[in-house]
Amino acid sequence: MARICTEGFEKEFIKEQREVYGIAYTQNILSGRWKYLILWFLKPTERRYNQIKTFLGDISQGSLTKQLRELESDGLINRKVFPEVPPRVEYSLTSKGEEFMPIIDLMEEFGKKFGEQVD
């Protein structure tokens, strides 16, 4: 199947498997336990690192930093550092991230429809 190198997918895979490449690309963006929740949390407004960490609860600092860096590298979120002491960092969706939100919304709808119902 798809092999992902450090620059993304191998060119040969993209050419030969064009019909499945879109699904593989999207799955690669969401690979990671917390990414879809981070994107959902950033949907309404920009958030600071500690707000994201508090929202996610049981995530290590290293895992959160890795997930945020990957989302930034994929072009889905912005990281803005304010020149203050101590430094303040805010994360927000990019236009690409905003275009990705209908996928997150569909995941939310699917989960509400077919997930466990709590009385």
Side-chain angles (χ1 to χ4, degrees):
M1 183 35 93
R3 289 199 184 164
I4 304 171
C5 61
T6 55
E7 294 84 34
F9 288 88
E10 293 178 343
K11 302 285 185 213
E12 189 173 312
F13 169 77
I14 295 170
K15 280 175 44 177
E16 292 177 3
Q17 302 293 328
R18 194 67 189 164
E19 68 280 357
V20 81
Y21 168 70
I23 294 170
Y25 174 80
T26 304
Q27 186 277 330
N28 185 55
I29 285 178
L30 285 178
S31 66
R33 180 176 177 189
W34 306 99
K35 288 183 181 179
Y36 55 94
L37 291 173
I38 293 168
L39 292 170
W40 181 86
F41 190 59
L42 293 175
K43 180 180 174 180
T45 188
E46 68 279 341
R47 307 283 185 161
R48 294 181 69 176
Y49 181 91
N50 281 336
Q51 291 175 300
I52 299 169
K53 183 156 179 20
T54 299
F55 169 70
L56 296 175
D58 192 28
I59 185 172
S60 70
Q61 182 174 338
S63 290
L64 178 54
T65 299
K66 180 178 185 283
Q67 301 282 284
L68 290 168
R69 284 184 182 154
E70 289 176 2
L71 287 167
E72 185 181 10
S73 176
D74 287 332
L76 295 174
I77 65 171
N78 285 316
R79 178 179 185 266
K80 184 175 182 182
V81 180
F82 292 85
E84 302 172 358
V85 177
R88 177 171 51 115
V89 179
E90 289 183 347
Y91 295 90
S92 60
L93 294 176
T94 62
S95 58
K96 183 178 177 181
E98 289 173 1
E99 284 195 46
F100 197 80
M101 289 315 297
I103 295 169
I104 301 298
D105 293 340
L106 286 172
M107 290 173 68
E108 181 181 8
E109 289 175 30
F110 183 87
K112 285 178 179 177
K113 184 174 182 178
F114 296 106
E116 287 187 35
Q117 301 299 314
V118 180
D119 295 327

